[in-house]
Amino acid sequence: MYASLILTLLMFFLQNGSEFYQQALVQERAAGNLEAAIQLYQDAARYAGNDRALAAQAMLGAARCYEKLGQAKARELYEEIARTYADQPQFAAQARD
């Protein structure tokens, strides 16, 4: 029992931002589970490390999910992306649109 719990925790911590991002896409697009997708997108951004493009893309994914849910948090995230990731012009432009 403890071994499986430890293995699960290790697998979670060994995942990188890109893996979380791929899982988020599946939850958003295939499963339609927007809440799970938001959490995974946030994890992707958190674990993106120095990959600012991935972080910005993940934040856009979370904002898109909030928008689909009709939540005001979407606007806040879009504004944050435009400010924080101005060095990522493609994603900052998407956030401004």
Side-chain angles (χ1 to χ4, degrees):
M1 177 176 165
Y2 291 112
S4 66
L5 176 60
I6 290 171
L7 181 61
T8 302
L9 287 173
L10 274 174
M11 290 186 69
F12 177 77
F13 287 113
L14 292 176
Q15 290 183 322
N16 62 35
S18 181
E19 291 168 350
F20 283 117
Y21 184 79
Q22 293 304 316
Q23 291 174 16
L25 285 174
V26 170
Q27 288 301 312
E28 178 186 4
R29 296 181 181 168
N33 188 344
L34 299 177
E35 275 91 15
I38 289 168
Q39 183 61 51
L40 288 163
Y41 281 130
Q42 290 171 339
D43 289 341
R46 185 177 310 115
Y47 294 107
N50 292 331
D51 190 345
R52 291 184 52 76
L54 175 61
Q57 193 173 19
M59 295 295 286
L60 276 172
R64 185 176 54 246
C65 289
Y66 279 122
E67 187 175 5
K68 288 178 182 178
L69 290 169
Q71 296 183 8
K73 179 76 174 166
R75 183 177 186 84
E76 294 172 29
L77 269 182
Y78 286 132
E79 290 172 354
E80 179 183 342
I81 295 161
R83 274 192 321 272
T84 306
Y85 296 99
D87 62 320
Q88 302 297 316
Q90 174 188 0
F91 301 119
Q94 287 178 26
R96 284 189 296 274
D97 289 341

